[in-house]
PDB file of all heavy atoms in Angstrom:
ATOM      1  N   ALA U 262      -1.068  10.419  12.721  1.00  0.00           N
ATOM      2  CA  ALA U 262       0.279  10.318  12.167  1.00  0.00           C
ATOM      3  C   ALA U 262       0.439  11.206  10.952  1.00  0.00           C
ATOM      4  O   ALA U 262       1.489  11.835  10.750  1.00  0.00           O
ATOM      5  CB  ALA U 262       0.578   8.854  11.808  1.00  0.00           C
ATOM      6  N   ARG U 282      18.873  30.429   2.397  1.00  0.00           N
ATOM      7  CA  ARG U 282      19.023  31.892   2.260  1.00  0.00           C
ATOM      8  C   ARG U 282      20.357  32.359   2.799  1.00  0.00           C
ATOM      9  O   ARG U 282      21.014  33.218   2.211  1.00  0.00           O
ATOM     10  CB  ARG U 282      17.867  32.577   2.999  1.00  0.00           C
ATOM     11  CG  ARG U 282      16.514  32.477   2.288  1.00  0.00           C
ATOM     12  CD  ARG U 282      15.377  32.968   3.152  1.00  0.00           C
ATOM     13  NE  ARG U 282      14.106  32.934   2.435  1.00  0.00           N
ATOM     14  CZ  ARG U 282      12.915  33.026   3.003  1.00  0.00           C
ATOM     15  NH1 ARG U 282      12.822  33.165   4.336  1.00  0.00           N
ATOM     16  NH2 ARG U 282      11.814  32.986   2.273  1.00  0.00           N
ATOM     17  N   ALA U 372      28.656   6.093 -10.678  1.00  0.00           N
ATOM     18  CA  ALA U 372      29.439   6.717 -11.782  1.00  0.00           C
ATOM     19  C   ALA U 372      29.356   8.238 -11.704  1.00  0.00           C
ATOM     20  O   ALA U 372      30.341   8.935 -11.974  1.00  0.00           O
ATOM     21  CB  ALA U 372      28.903   6.215 -13.110  1.00  0.00           C
ATOM     22  N   ALA U 403      10.672   3.267 -21.663  1.00  0.00           N
ATOM     23  CA  ALA U 403       9.674   3.372 -22.736  1.00  0.00           C
ATOM     24  C   ALA U 403       8.968   2.047 -22.966  1.00  0.00           C
ATOM     25  O   ALA U 403       7.756   1.991 -23.161  1.00  0.00           O
ATOM     26  CB  ALA U 403      10.343   3.860 -24.019  1.00  0.00           C
ATOM     27  N   GLN U 432     -18.056  -3.446  -9.580  1.00  0.00           N
ATOM     28  CA  GLN U 432     -18.003  -2.042  -9.170  1.00  0.00           C
ATOM     29  C   GLN U 432     -16.586  -1.640  -8.767  1.00  0.00           C
ATOM     30  O   GLN U 432     -16.094  -0.567  -9.099  1.00  0.00           O
ATOM     31  CB  GLN U 432     -18.979  -1.800  -8.028  1.00  0.00           C
ATOM     32  CG  GLN U 432     -20.450  -1.905  -8.455  1.00  0.00           C
ATOM     33  CD  GLN U 432     -21.384  -1.579  -7.300  1.00  0.00           C
ATOM     34  OE1 GLN U 432     -20.989  -0.976  -6.317  1.00  0.00           O
ATOM     35  NE2 GLN U 432     -22.638  -1.964  -7.458  1.00  0.00           N
ATOM     36  N   LEU U 441      -7.304   3.860 -14.296  1.00  0.00           N
ATOM     37  CA  LEU U 441      -6.398   3.513 -15.372  1.00  0.00           C
ATOM     38  C   LEU U 441      -6.614   4.402 -16.596  1.00  0.00           C
ATOM     39  O   LEU U 441      -5.658   4.753 -17.300  1.00  0.00           O
ATOM     40  CB  LEU U 441      -6.583   2.053 -15.772  1.00  0.00           C
ATOM     41  CG  LEU U 441      -6.059   1.017 -14.762  1.00  0.00           C
ATOM     42  CD1 LEU U 441      -6.413  -0.400 -15.203  1.00  0.00           C
ATOM     43  CD2 LEU U 441      -4.546   1.149 -14.574  1.00  0.00           C
ATOM     44  N   ASP U 489     -34.185 -22.187 -12.346  1.00  0.00           N
ATOM     45  CA  ASP U 489     -32.775 -22.388 -12.010  1.00  0.00           C
ATOM     46  C   ASP U 489     -31.987 -21.095 -12.158  1.00  0.00           C
ATOM     47  O   ASP U 489     -31.071 -20.829 -11.378  1.00  0.00           O
ATOM     48  CB  ASP U 489     -32.189 -23.479 -12.926  1.00  0.00           C
ATOM     49  CG  ASP U 489     -32.770 -24.838 -12.618  1.00  0.00           C
ATOM     50  OD1 ASP U 489     -33.318 -24.989 -11.506  1.00  0.00           O
ATOM     51  OD2 ASP U 489     -32.705 -25.705 -13.508  1.00  0.00           O
ATOM     52  N   LEU U 529     -57.888 -26.120  -3.721  1.00  0.00           N
ATOM     53  CA  LEU U 529     -57.744 -26.151  -5.162  1.00  0.00           C
ATOM     54  C   LEU U 529     -59.076 -25.888  -5.826  1.00  0.00           C
ATOM     55  O   LEU U 529     -60.148 -26.267  -5.314  1.00  0.00           O
ATOM     56  CB  LEU U 529     -57.225 -27.543  -5.587  1.00  0.00           C
ATOM     57  CG  LEU U 529     -55.801 -27.898  -5.113  1.00  0.00           C
ATOM     58  CD1 LEU U 529     -55.473 -29.329  -5.513  1.00  0.00           C
ATOM     59  CD2 LEU U 529     -54.799 -26.928  -5.684  1.00  0.00           C
ATOM     60  N   ALA U 545     -50.304 -21.280 -25.911  1.00  0.00           N
ATOM     61  CA  ALA U 545     -49.290 -20.630 -25.073  1.00  0.00           C
ATOM     62  C   ALA U 545     -48.810 -19.344 -25.757  1.00  0.00           C
ATOM     63  O   ALA U 545     -48.589 -19.323 -26.961  1.00  0.00           O
ATOM     64  CB  ALA U 545     -48.113 -21.586 -24.868  1.00  0.00           C
ATOM     65  N   ALA U 555     -38.666 -10.565 -19.234  1.00  0.00           N
ATOM     66  CA  ALA U 555     -38.480 -11.963 -18.918  1.00  0.00           C
ATOM     67  C   ALA U 555     -38.134 -12.158 -17.448  1.00  0.00           C
ATOM     68  O   ALA U 555     -38.621 -13.065 -16.787  1.00  0.00           O
ATOM     69  CB  ALA U 555     -37.398 -12.562 -19.811  1.00  0.00           C
ATOM     70  N   ALA U 576     -47.392  14.726 -14.833  1.00  0.00           N
ATOM     71  CA  ALA U 576     -46.284  15.682 -14.779  1.00  0.00           C
ATOM     72  C   ALA U 576     -44.943  15.017 -14.962  1.00  0.00           C
ATOM     73  O   ALA U 576     -43.910  15.671 -14.896  1.00  0.00           O
ATOM     74  CB  ALA U 576     -46.314  16.427 -13.429  1.00  0.00           C
ATOM     75  N   PRO U 602     -39.973  10.797 -19.071  1.00  0.00           N
ATOM     76  CA  PRO U 602     -40.836  10.451 -20.186  1.00  0.00           C
ATOM     77  C   PRO U 602     -41.441   9.074 -20.030  1.00  0.00           C
ATOM     78  O   PRO U 602     -40.818   8.177 -19.440  1.00  0.00           O
ATOM     79  CB  PRO U 602     -39.882  10.501 -21.390  1.00  0.00           C
ATOM     80  CG  PRO U 602     -38.527  10.294 -20.825  1.00  0.00           C
ATOM     81  CD  PRO U 602     -38.556  10.947 -19.483  1.00  0.00           C
TER      82      PRO U 602
END
Side-chain angles (χ1 to χ4, degrees):
R282 287 170 177 166
Q432 292 184 17
L441 288 175
D489 292 340
L529 295 175

